Amino acid sequence: MIIEFSTLCDREGRLCPRCHHACSNLPGTSSGPCYPTGPSSTPGIRSVAIGGSYVPTDCYLDAWARTEADLERLTAAFPEARLKSFGKESGEFPVSVTVSLRTFGQVADALRIGVGICPLYVLWHNMTWPCVPELGLEQEHKYAELQIACNSHDIFCETPTPEHTVFLHSRHGDDERVAWLASKVGAQIAGPSELGW
């Protein structure tokens, strides 16, 4: 589904102290699970909350530096990043720049910084898609990932675009679950299923 990038806080700029996001636990609201809410939360971030469970340490940003200038800007922005060259020779381009992210706040900051440098994505591994009894679907652990591709419409961010795309990774043929998840965050499917990884 194609989304518009927006800030990850409420209109007053407040963030939840637990999930570092505009959610149901802001001061003056109920105290329950952290579910991002409000007009400024993105479908991608809301999908993580709908997912039921995820491992915070299994989220990362991955950007592909294709030029020396991109690499310099990315390493200046993310000094803790891990670098891996995928060129024919060691040290050649492209270079994968990977940053571990643990909180929604870190994701928001990384997206705000990185989106101005080059196409990149944030990926959540080890999620659980919830059961959907009305569709006869049980919980899904093995094929449950969520990816926000910034300035790209493909999972590898090879083709730059002005828009951003949310990919819900699921079991092949599980289109009903994906449509259900999208509807829960107020989004619609933008295109057909694709073969992922």
Side-chain angles (χ1 to χ4, degrees), residues 10-91:
D10 73 353
R11 290 177 192 250
E12 287 78 44
R14 300 176 301 172
L15 297 175
C16 168
R18 285 197 329 206
C19 70
H20 304 286
H21 187 68
C23 79
S24 58
N25 287 321
L26 286 170
T29 64
S30 64
S31 62
C34 294
Y35 295 113
T37 61
S40 64
S41 61
T42 68
I45 299 296
R46 291 192 308 264
S47 296
V48 172
I50 295 292
S53 70
Y54 68 98
V55 179
T57 56
D58 288 344
C59 175
Y60 65 89
L61 174 141
D62 198 18
W64 290 88
R66 300 187 193 289
T67 67
E68 187 68 39
D70 284 349
L71 183 59
E72 287 176 9
R73 290 175 68 200
L74 287 166
T75 54
F78 305 109
E80 73 282 13
R82 295 180 310 279
L83 308 177
K84 184 174 181 182
S85 173
F86 283 85
K88 292 179 183 177
E89 300 290 327
S90 177

Side-chain angles (χ1 to χ4, degrees), residues 9-184:
C9 58
D10 73 353
R11 290 177 192 250
E12 287 78 44
R14 300 176 301 172
L15 297 175
C16 168
R18 285 197 329 206
C19 70
H20 304 286
H21 187 68
C23 79
S24 58
N25 287 321
L26 286 170
T29 64
S30 64
S31 62
C34 294
Y35 295 113
T37 61
S40 64
S41 61
T42 68
I45 299 296
R46 291 192 308 264
S47 296
V48 172
I50 295 292
S53 70
Y54 68 98
V55 179
T57 56
D58 288 344
C59 175
Y60 65 89
L61 174 141
D62 198 18
W64 290 88
R66 300 187 193 289
T67 67
E68 187 68 39
D70 284 349
L71 183 59
E72 287 176 9
R73 290 175 68 200
L74 287 166
T75 54
F78 305 109
E80 73 282 13
R82 295 180 310 279
L83 308 177
K84 184 174 181 182
S85 173
F86 283 85
K88 292 179 183 177
E89 300 290 327
S90 177
E92 286 186 353
F93 293 95
V95 174
S96 170
V97 179
T98 304
V99 180
S100 294
L101 305 170
R102 294 180 181 262
T103 67
F104 288 125
Q106 288 176 335
V107 170
D109 291 343
L111 289 174
R112 283 188 200 104
I113 293 167
V115 77
I117 300 173
C118 66
L120 53 88
Y121 64 83
V122 170
L123 181 71
W124 280 267
H125 282 292
N126 293 328
M127 295 184 65
T128 300
W129 294 139
C131 62
V132 187
E134 63 268 28
L135 298 177
L137 298 171
E138 296 183 10
Q139 274 190 336
E140 177 63 67
H141 302 282
K142 184 175 181 180
Y143 300 99
E145 294 181 337
L146 183 127
Q147 178 181 5
I148 301 174
C150 293
N151 295 118
S152 183
H153 289 177
D154 66 275
I155 62 173
F156 299 107
C157 296
E158 294 178 329
T159 307
T161 66
E163 300 89 16
H164 312 299
T165 309
V166 174
F167 291 96
L168 300 174
H169 295 261
S170 65
R171 186 179 298 274
H172 181 69
D174 216 352
D175 296 343
E176 285 185 317
R177 182 188 306 276
V178 174
W180 181 87
L181 287 164
S183 73
K184 293 299 176 191

